[in-house]
Amino acid sequence: MPDPVQTVHQALDSFRIETPSWGYSDTGTRFGKFHQPAAAIDLDDKLADAAHVHRLTGCCPTVAAHVLWDFAPGTDPAVVASKAAALGIGIGSINPNLFQDQIYKLGSVGSPFENARDQALAHIIDCIKLGQVTGSRAVSLWFADGTNYPGQDSIRARKQRFEAALKEAHSHLSADQVMLVEYKPFEPAFYQTDLADWGMSFLTAKKAGPQAKVLVDTGHHYNSQNIEQIVAWLLDEEMLGGFHFNDRRYADDDLTLGSIDPYQIFRIFHEIHGFARERGAYPEIEYMIDQSHNLKPKIEAMLQTVCTAQELYAKAALVDHEALSAAQRKGNIVDAEICLKKAYNTDVTAMLGDWRVGRGLAADPLQAHRASGYTEKAAAERAKRRQDLGIATEHSYA
Ligand code: PSV
Ligand code: MN
């Protein structure tokens, strides 16, 4: 077994994770929003917050954009990209919005209405072009499409409409772009979701073309579903394109990564390290966070997530693969499991701290953020701007 410090440092050297623009602004649930004085108001604030997180962690060089929420009509994506670059970050995945326009009531590319399908496809193609201007690698597709009642629409017709649309969209990708196809078992459709699981995303991506891959949002699974098995299968088929990280207890996805089940994330990373070891290289995977915090301070939650991801990725790199395969060959289940548990139980805090200090970063990004006064400064400035703009602000318990 090589030196653990070296193993952890090597693993961290290549680990990058993208933060979402929507995680910095006031977002909530459909039941309500709780405002935070330091929340980002506009895209400039979101870019500033994402750059701050990258400055503290050194591993978040890109920020995901949700087109409708971030690019007001008339926004020049080249200007946005250069603003981001001036702050030391880049625009990452481009997320089309295929669910909020009134025309999408019965779906987007799966809709029975041709004009809705045409609008959705045109928007995806626009997003592909936008990504070419911003230098983004991924166009990340999530569809709210589905039906709410049995008989509402033909399930097979919807499947075919998806296949045709994604195939057409794929033909607009440039050689260095990738199309990520996300799945979700339910919500907002509650009878049938068009892309409800990894198999449906897999098949649709395969039919779209070679640059389409599956996106695994950790929150989009039923309770007790074995996500690392899905990851292992997708890796083996070279169809794993990326992750949306978060955690969950019941439905959906806005809890902090690893807050409920950190061992699950470790097991996912273990599959990736094992695959890379076998193939001699890591596959190109977009690691992205998909969380909008309604209760936790937004930047703190983001830092907590990034540090948790690094920690679990590092721990998973420590699995002794020689010992593991020896135990597996002997059918020694107990020793095999101990290999995973031993790595998982290793305290990597000091190794992570050293890695950061070696890169001129603070050993603890969260503490460094708290000491920086960033939130207080942002809160003062943004609260005033919010007032001037007449935007709702936080409740005072004082
Ligand atoms: C849908 O629940 C989802 O996971 C998709 O990725 C959306 O783009 C994102 O959440 C919006 O927060
Ligand atoms: Mn997602």
Side-chain angles (χ1 to χ4, degrees):
M1 181 75 192
D3 173 43
V5 175
Q6 206 187 330
T7 305
V8 162
H9 286 193
Q10 259 170 15
L12 293 175
D13 279 346
S14 57
F15 186 70
R16 306 270 178 280
I17 185 160
E18 181 165 301
T19 69
S21 66
W22 55 97
Y24 297 109
S25 57
D26 263 341
T27 43
T29 70
R30 64 181 178 280
F31 305 108
K33 257 188 208 180
F34 297 106
H35 304 284
Q36 296 187 17
I41 301 170
D42 56 24
L43 182 57
D44 287 345
D45 297 340
K46 295 177 194 176
L47 294 179
D49 291 356
H52 175 66
V53 168
H54 180 48
R55 267 195 306 278
L56 291 167
T57 59
C59 69
C60 306
T62 55
V63 58
H66 227 295
V67 171
L68 184 73
W69 304 336
D70 292 332
F71 290 74
T75 306
D76 181 346
V79 172
V80 175
S82 57
K83 275 185 183 173
L87 291 164
I89 54 170
I91 302 298
S93 62
I94 302 293
N95 293 256
N97 188 304
L98 299 158
F99 44 94
Q100 277 183 311
D101 196 291
Q102 291 298 310
I103 202 169
Y104 298 140
K105 184 173 175 183
L106 298 186
S108 63
V109 299
S111 170
F113 299 122
E114 195 177 0
N115 57 355
R117 294 202 298 275
D118 288 350
Q119 179 170 318
L121 179 59
H123 180 54
I124 297 174
I125 295 168
D126 281 349
C127 288
I128 291 173
K129 290 186 184 144
L130 196 155
Q132 288 161 359
V133 176
T134 53
S136 307
R137 181 172 176 263
V139 175
S140 196
L141 305 177
W142 173 69
F143 300 92
D145 288 53
T147 58
N148 268 21
Y149 297 96
Q152 180 184 322
D153 198 1
S154 157
I155 295 175
R156 279 185 300 111
R158 296 183 73 92
K159 170 180 176 285
Q160 289 159 17
R161 290 173 203 142
F162 261 80
E163 288 167 2
L166 268 59
K167 193 166 180 213
E168 171 62 25
H170 189 284
S171 71
H172 293 263
L173 293 172
S174 62
D176 51 1
Q177 279 183 304
V178 59
M179 175 192 279
L180 303 178
V181 185
E182 184 173 353
Y183 56 92
K184 184 174 183 180
F186 63 92
E187 199 203 39
F190 285 102
Y191 164 62
Q192 164 266 334
T193 294
D194 288 320
L195 298 181
D197 65 24
W198 72 274
M200 296 178 199
S201 279
F202 180 100
L203 204 66
T204 313
K206 268 275 182 218
K207 289 189 176 180
Q211 287 162 246
K213 307 271 175 206
V214 178
L215 186 150
V216 176
D217 183 314
T218 48
H220 294 183
H221 298 89
Y222 290 115
N223 286 341
S224 91
Q225 206 165 349
N226 187 331
I227 303 176
E228 62 269 27
Q229 181 180 7
I230 295 171
V231 168
W233 277 54
L234 291 174
L235 282 166
D236 202 56
E237 294 291 330
E238 296 179 8
M239 283 299 283
L240 179 65
F243 286 97
H244 270 178
F245 281 135
N246 46 58
D247 213 330
R248 68 189 278 278
R249 182 75 182 130
Y250 302 103
D252 217 352
D253 52 19
D254 281 337
L255 301 186
T256 317
L257 178 78
S259 55
I260 303 296
D261 187 358
Y263 191 44
Q264 179 187 61
I265 305 300
F266 166 91
R267 297 192 307 266
I268 289 173
F269 285 142
H270 166 61
E271 289 303 327
I272 295 167
H273 289 307
F275 175 84
R277 219 184 130 79
E278 209 179 283
R279 303 278 177 116
Y282 281 87
E284 275 199 87
I285 299 173
E286 303 289 331
Y287 295 109
M288 300 172 280
I289 297 169
D290 183 3
Q291 295 170 187
S292 1
H293 290 280
N294 205 16
L295 304 179
K296 282 182 176 174
K298 288 159 198 299
I299 291 179
E300 290 199 7
M302 209 59 84
L303 290 168
Q304 195 183 23
T305 305
V306 173
C307 294
T308 302
Q310 284 182 308
E311 183 191 326
L312 295 167
Y313 190 78
K315 281 173 183 256
L318 287 175
V319 171
D320 184 341
H321 289 268
E322 259 85 59
L324 179 63
S325 56
Q328 287 172 347
R329 279 195 305 273
K330 284 188 226 142
N332 189 335
I333 306 167
V334 171
D335 282 0
E337 193 190 357
I338 286 173
C339 286
L340 266 65
K341 285 286 177 69
K342 198 174 157 202
Y344 179 68
N345 290 328
T346 308
D347 185 352
V348 294
T349 316
M351 302 180 208
L352 267 148
D354 289 347
W355 179 84
R356 291 191 183 113
V357 171
R359 268 142 204 83
L361 304 165
D364 183 339
L366 181 60
Q367 292 313 325
H369 164 67
R370 286 181 176 163
S372 73
Y374 183 93
T375 296
E376 293 72 12
K377 219 170 129 223
E381 189 275 316
R382 292 174 190 176
K384 179 163 179 337
R385 196 151 29 104
R386 221 174 248 111
Q387 208 173 21
D388 294 346
L389 293 166
I391 304 174
T393 189
E394 89 284 7
H395 173 78
S396 167
Y397 291 96

